[in-house]
Amino acid sequence: MVMRIDCKGLYYRKQNKIIRDAAEEGETEFILDNANGQRYIGNGIEKNIKITVNGVPGNDLAMFMNGPTIIVNANAQDGVANTMNAGEVIVHGSAGDVIGYGMRGGKLYVRGNIGYRAGIHAKEYKKQIPIIIAGGVAGDFCGEYMAGGVLVLLGLNRGEGVPIAGNYLGTGMHGGVIYIRGEVDEYTLGKEVSVLPLDKKDLKVLTKHLKEYCEHFGLDLDEIMAEPFIKLQPLSNRPYGCLYAY
Amino acid sequence: MASELPPEFIVKIAYDRCRRCKRCVMNCSFGCMQFTDRVVPEHKLCVACQRCVTFCPEHAITITKNELAYKENANWSPETRQNILKQAETGGILLTGMGNPREYPILWDHLLVDACQVTNPSIDPLREPMELRTFLGRKPDRLEFVESEYGEIDLATEIEPQVRLDVPVVFGAMSYGAVSLNVHRSLAMAAARSGTLMNTGEGGLHKELYPYSGNVIVQVASGRFGVHSEYLNTSAMVEIKIGQGAKPGIGGHLPGEKVDEDISKTRMIPVGSDAISPAPHHDIYSIEDLSQLIYAIKEATDYEKPVSVKISAVHNVAAIASGIVRAGADVVTIDGFRGGTGAAPMVIRDNVGIPIELALAAVDERLRSEGIRNNASIICAGGIRNSGDMAKAIALGADAVVIGTAALVALGCRICQKCYTGNCAWGIATQKPELVRRLDPQVGAGRLTNLLTAWSLELKEVLGSLGVNSIESLRGSRERLRGIGLDSQTLELLGVKPAGVGQ
């Protein structure tokens, strides 16, 4: 059974309670129509449910989420996948600022652009590795303080002269990896990262995730892989180790 | 280059009493005590943690300050000169541990408590019941009742979630990583026995302590270490850490050496990687953003747990606290500038922030004048040393107080301020298995429980002498305090009259 909820004029607290209660009783699939800024959709849910959002969801979509799949058939706002643990978020538009902040696992696929401060302090533990892929470009402070995870910027459909990422890319980064399809200017990089070519292992990881990404959005993997990528990695997992007098 | 720093302490060994048992050598975790044909101290390595002094069976060890290291000078103290030498040698930020040790005025020691004489009788707490129970959480503006058809009166107002404390003291936020798991075990057990709360700090909660969920405040800090929905729900209360009294406005770095297998699992970061907490939460740049996080946590916990916001006591603390309450926090925790830390730059710890006494008075006054004091409980942290400080804090408006340093001292801490080295000889601020073992959590829990029992008895004595029989009657009752040796502006800020003035 699919539960359809008309979100027109529905307060987020009520809407999310309907979803939580129904999921508790075994409902596995939800379709939210006319979503218009309702916050915290999927927040903290631990069950493997599927939520399709028709309309624009509000801030902190999928925050603390642990398992569900959320498909957004529009743009998403700020804080998507904030401190998310597991599950998938697929956004068929662009997403706002601070997406994937402190993300600990799961996948966040955005078809369009992403805003400022994406993937800040994403982390990883053993096999639990968060993946963020954006089809377009990113704003400033992308991957700041990144402690783990994989962040991919594809820069598709961008206008002439539009940079693929803003300033302070990967600043303070001390774990994880950022793959960028194209080039970035040296001056936009944080001083804690280095630019490297991709090795075989990188290509394997990247192809695996991009294959999935392309399936979601009907894109051609070969076409995407035809352009060269660069890799951004932290110079140290202890960037501030020698800052102090003991 | 050999260091020019002279030793800070001199270790004297009375060889006529020393029986060469080597206990001091085994106990010293800073490598100061060496044994050749007899115990030879390397003075430079001594930090005055007193571990050797305590465990020497012959009391043959004394540690003294190295008085002769510098020529006396009222302006250039030995420490100032030592710090310059250290920085000249390393070029680094001076790192330190524990709370602000400088000689700033301690206002608790300038406040005096009233007592009853003749006209209204005092109460003997040994014979009469005394209520120390406190409920933390948002209180309603008014209560509404309905009468059932059988004539029974029922409460109609929906009460927001409350946390019950049997004693108005909670343990301070000290992360697993900064302190050992045995410290967390001791705190959790003692909190459960005493009917109060421990606070995870920002490093997550070890799985072993999940059964103590009813006595745990789980913290959400900027690094979001170990934060997931199960963690948020394994708690009595959730706290958003914005600031810490010892280091307002800056983040934290748990050095990679302290991130072992268990800590990496609890924090969900790789072994040996620095655990970096950014200075701000990057999803909070305004009161509206803070509100968004508060309600994100409420959504994730199904509105069943109070949410606290912890800030450092800074100049504008009253206005900030007002914003926090309006953003939806159920509890505001204010941490004064004498609050402790596992590691902080000395320049921040010793120079930034304001005393908790003034911050507490300002916040309580501001929330009252705005008519929103009932919307949140106030927890007062940072430099509470004894039950007297606690009683005064409650009279100034606190619902409960926090003890961090005092709890660690009960566990054996000698306040040597070397927490950041990871070498804590008392098994507290360390992750080295051989040192962690030194703190037995059962013993630790017993000592902490004793401390809270003692403070409860003392608080009851104070209440009795004031002629009141519940903590509620003392709360915010500044009329029962008088200031001594304080200037008129400080008295005004504290909202207390000078000693000698009657009603």
Side-chain angles (χ1 to χ4, degrees), chain B residues 171 180-194 403 406-413 426-428 436-453:
Chain B
F171 294 126
S180 67
L181 186 55
N182 279 349
V183 172
H184 262 208
R185 285 181 177 125
S186 306
L187 292 166
M189 279 190 273
R193 284 183 208 167
S194 308
I403 54 165
L408 296 187
V409 170
L411 290 176
C413 169
W426 295 87
I428 295 169
V436 172
R437 258 203 318 265
R438 295 180 178 184
L439 178 66
D440 179 337
Q442 290 292 350
V443 174
R447 293 175 68 91
L448 289 168
T449 309
N450 282 345
L451 181 71
L452 292 188
T453 305

Side-chain angles (χ1 to χ4, degrees), chain A residues 16 20 40 43 46 59-60 63 82-83 101 104 117 121 123-126 128 237-238 243-245, chain B residues 90 93 222-224 227-229 253 257 261 264 268 274 276 282-283 285 292-293 296 299-300 302:
Chain A
N16 294 336
R20 268 201 306 271
Y40 313 123
N43 177 311
E46 306 249 3
N59 292 351
D60 284 344
M63 188 167 184
N82 192 337
T83 326
Y101 174 29
R104 312 145 49 80
R117 318 198 295 276
H121 221 306
K123 41 182 80 64
E124 67 184 51
Y125 177 70
K126 297 197 169 159
Q128 193 174 333
N237 67 345
R238 303 211 45 204
L243 206 58
Y244 302 103
Chain B
T90 63
I93 295 169
S222 62
R224 303 286 156 88
V227 178
H228 46 82
S229 51
H253 302 160
E257 301 99 52
E261 190 65 44
S264 112
M268 304 281 289
D274 272 2
I276 299 176
H282 282 287
D283 53 356
Y285 286 7
Q292 188 175 314
L293 181 59
E299 281 276 320
D302 213 7

Side-chain angles (χ1 to χ4, degrees), chain B residues 126-453:
Chain B
L126 301 178
R127 290 185 294 103
E128 304 204 38
M130 281 283 166
E131 186 63 272
L132 295 189
R133 220 181 306 170
T134 297
F135 288 89
L136 299 178
R138 177 173 294 251
K139 309 295 186 291
D141 290 336
R142 64 183 69 80
L143 293 176
E144 278 162 18
F145 299 90
V146 287
E147 196 176 338
S148 73
E149 51 182 308
Y150 309 108
E152 287 164 342
I153 307 287
D154 287 322
L155 185 63
T157 311
E158 201 179 311
I159 305 289
E160 300 280 332
Q162 305 286 325
V163 177
R164 181 182 138 168
L165 304 179
D166 291 335
V167 32
V169 190
V170 299
F171 294 126
M174 292 174 277
S175 74
Y176 172 43
V179 296
S180 67
L181 186 55
N182 279 349
V183 172
H184 262 208
R185 285 181 177 125
S186 306
L187 292 166
M189 279 190 273
R193 284 183 208 167
S194 308
T196 185
L197 307 170
M198 60 98 68
N199 189 321
T200 60
E202 60 171 309
L205 181 66
H206 194 279
K207 279 272 177 199
E208 188 198 302
L209 298 177
Y210 274 36
Y212 292 95
S213 62
N215 298 93
V216 175
I217 300 173
V218 295
Q219 214 178 49
V220 175
S222 62
R224 303 286 156 88
F225 296 111
V227 178
H228 46 82
S229 51
E230 192 189 359
Y231 166 78
L232 295 174
N233 282 289
T234 309
S235 70
M237 186 157 98
V238 184
E239 181 168 274
I240 299 170
K241 178 201 172 179
I242 301 289
Q244 184 178 340
K247 41 180 173 175
I250 69 163
H253 302 160
L254 182 72
E257 301 99 52
K258 273 187 159 182
V259 181
D260 64 12
E261 190 65 44
D262 242 16
I263 287 174
S264 112
K265 192 173 169 187
T266 308
R267 294 199 175 216
M268 304 281 289
I269 51 167
V271 173
S273 172
D274 272 2
I276 299 176
S277 290
H281 288 247
H282 282 287
D283 53 356
I284 305 178
Y285 286 7
S286 66
I287 289 288
E288 290 76 11
D289 288 350
L290 174 66
S291 181
Q292 188 175 314
L293 181 59
I294 291 172
Y295 282 92
I297 289 169
K298 287 184 183 239
E299 281 276 320
T301 53
D302 213 7
Y303 297 85
E304 284 173 359
K305 300 178 195 301
V307 176
S308 157
V309 175
K310 177 184 173 185
I311 50 167
S312 325
V314 290
H315 300 180
N316 212 14
V317 67
I320 297 163
S322 166
I324 288 170
V325 176
R326 289 168 193 281
D330 305 296
V331 176
V332 185
T333 303
I334 315 158
D335 196 10
F337 83 154
R338 280 190 301 267
T341 176
M346 191 183 284
V347 63
I348 300 284
R349 184 196 67 176
D350 293 356
N351 299 290
V352 179
I354 63 170
I356 186 60
E357 301 91 327
L358 290 165
L360 171 64
V363 169
D364 180 66
E365 177 54 35
R366 176 74 172 243
L367 298 185
R368 278 173 196 278
S369 69
E370 292 183 0
I372 54 172
R373 179 63 182 85
N374 64 301
N375 287 3
S377 301
I378 299 177
I379 300 183
C380 157
I384 301 289
R385 303 158 299 169
N386 50 47
S387 61
D389 291 353
M390 168 167 67
K392 291 167 190 174
I394 290 166
L396 277 181
D399 286 274
V401 299
V402 169
I403 54 165
T405 304
L408 296 187
V409 170
L411 290 176
C413 169
R414 299 303 202 252
I415 319 188
C416 75
Q417 308 179 39
K418 296 289 174 200
C419 326
Y420 59 95
T421 63
N423 289 329
C424 179
W426 295 87
I428 295 169
T430 179
Q431 303 304 328
K432 294 179 179 169
E434 69 277 16
L435 298 177
V436 172
R437 258 203 318 265
R438 295 180 178 184
L439 178 66
D440 179 337
Q442 290 292 350
V443 174
R447 293 175 68 91
L448 289 168
T449 309
N450 282 345
L451 181 71
L452 292 188
T453 305

